[in-house]
Amino acid sequence: MDLRLRGITHFYGDLEVLRDVDFGVEAGQIVCLIGPSGCGKSTLLRLLGGLERPAHGEILQLGAPPAGSLNPLTYVFQDFALLPWRTAAGNVSLVLEDHPLSRRERSEIVADVLARTKLSEFAQVLPRQLSGGMKQRVAIARALAVRPACLLMDEPLSALDSQTRELLLDDLVELWLRERFTACYVTHNLAEAVRLGHKVVVLSRRPGRIREIVEIDMPLEQRKHALAELQEQQSRLWELMREEAMAADRELADV
Amino acid sequence: MSDEALAERGAAGAAAPVARPVPFRGGGFAPRPMRLVGLVLFLVLLGLWELGSRTGWIGPLVLPAPTAVFEAFRQLVVSGQIWLHLGASLQRLLLGWFGGTLLGLLVGLAAGLFSMARAGVVPLVAALFPIPKIALLPLFIIWFGIGEESKVATILFGTFFPTVIAVYGGVDNVDRNLIRMGQSFGLSWLSIVRKIVLPGALPAILSGFRISAAIAIILLVAAEMIGAEYGIGAYILLAGNLMATDQLIAGVAILSMLGLAVSWLLGRAERYFLRWR
Ligand SMILES: Nc1ncnc2c1ncn2[C@@H]1O[C@H](COP(=O)(O)OP(=O)(O)OP(=O)(O)O)[C@@H](O)[C@H]1O
Ligand SMILES: [Mg+2]
């Protein structure tokens, strides 16, 4: 299943947040979304997932989601959004409980996704006992449990310290290599964008328009060992963003 | 500090570097649990009180000796009267508190979830909550008669409002991101309420229970002082009328124990239901 955004414009009251945004997310691809603070990245993701309706334009699903997908558009949140009163396994199970699955099927899925995210031994642990990186792993496991057609990830690593971020980034790459999931990945971190993105969509400051769409052809598995070339891509992205970010910074100070 | 000053210090220090440990400034502000102290203080106070009564420094009519109070309490137990009083009181307390809490939960949840219910309930609660419910007891007696109903109604009414306030405040404070999360995974409305909103509001609801339980005990005693044959409040009132201060204090001690028992139970409930914290 592909996603296609056509002429998305969005307002909050009189505030124009997004203007005429147009791009596509193809199946099996990670699309990174970068842009200065407040340019409407999170808003765009909410629109993509159907949590809000765009003022103008349309968001289309092209083709049917894969058979057995319980929740085609699935979020991974910056703050993890785990229920503190449920264990890791309980949090994963939560999103399956509304679907017609037998108890056994459910616990099989839970065990499976926890294993895929290397969490099996933490199944019965409460979130408060887990480190930030582990919490985000649980959230990713929960997202995988519903067999999403497209993951919508809003700065999933920015609440973590840099070492944990690096580890989890490697895990995400590995996960993608195994599962070829589709994702729209919002980030502030250009290094993340060039490590993960097949395509990087650069938004301008508010109202967010598309500055440029950068395709990165290098296969994901090679990127870890080609940091010099990635650095080049990263500098190019930074050049694109620099002025916007500076202008956005000053704008926010005015408000 | 100016450069010369620093230079001077440096020169002086170089001559004779004095080693001193860094003075400790932390500590305190972290009370540790010390069970024994409370018990000892309690026993010391009792001892002083007993001593005061024995020496005649405290008049027996003003405040009977602890041993006299204990004797009155023993009489109450031996004669079996205590079960009549306690039974009557507990029945009123439980009926009133459960009724008020249940209604309060429903109304508070509605106010927390639906704009319409909130618009109606919140101003009403704001207007009615501050009324001391004891003031309504005479009215309830006119409505429901002098029997059990008016007493239960007073307690029910008194516990209803704080519960409503605690519940909708608790629902308001549930992390909206968690609710968003539930919606984004396509959870049904009922699942979101049952699995996200209610557990999220539970800490506030349970601390609301503490408040409503305390109010319930106050109202219980007040209600029992009007036209009740049995009940701890009635027992205390009768003792007062007979100037039997030993019985009176024994009744008050029973109330204290009742309050302690309730708060112990709620503490257990909190520990059980909020063990994820
Ligand atoms: N529900 C809302 N109501 C009103 N204004 C909103 C709402 N959500 C976001 N905004 C505004 O819309 C603009 C874009 O917000 P959004 O959160 O999408 O930006 P962002 O690109 O994700 O920013 P950041 O990089 O800080 O996460 C901001 O100016 C924000 O204040
Ligand atoms: Mg954002």
Side-chain angles (χ1 to χ4, degrees), chain A residues 5-27:
Chain A
L5 290 86
R6 282 227 191 98
I8 297 297
T9 297
H10 195 63
F11 291 87
Y12 283 119
D14 288 334
L15 185 73
E16 188 177 15
V17 181
L18 291 165
R19 183 182 293 172
D20 210 17
V21 174
D22 227 292
F23 69 93
V25 182
E26 278 151 48

Side-chain angles (χ1 to χ4, degrees), chain B residues 105-128:
Chain B
L105 274 173
L106 289 176
V107 173
L109 199 58
L113 293 174
F114 308 110
S115 319
M116 192 70 173
R118 160 159 319 202
V121 167
V122 172
L124 208 64
V125 169
L128 295 181

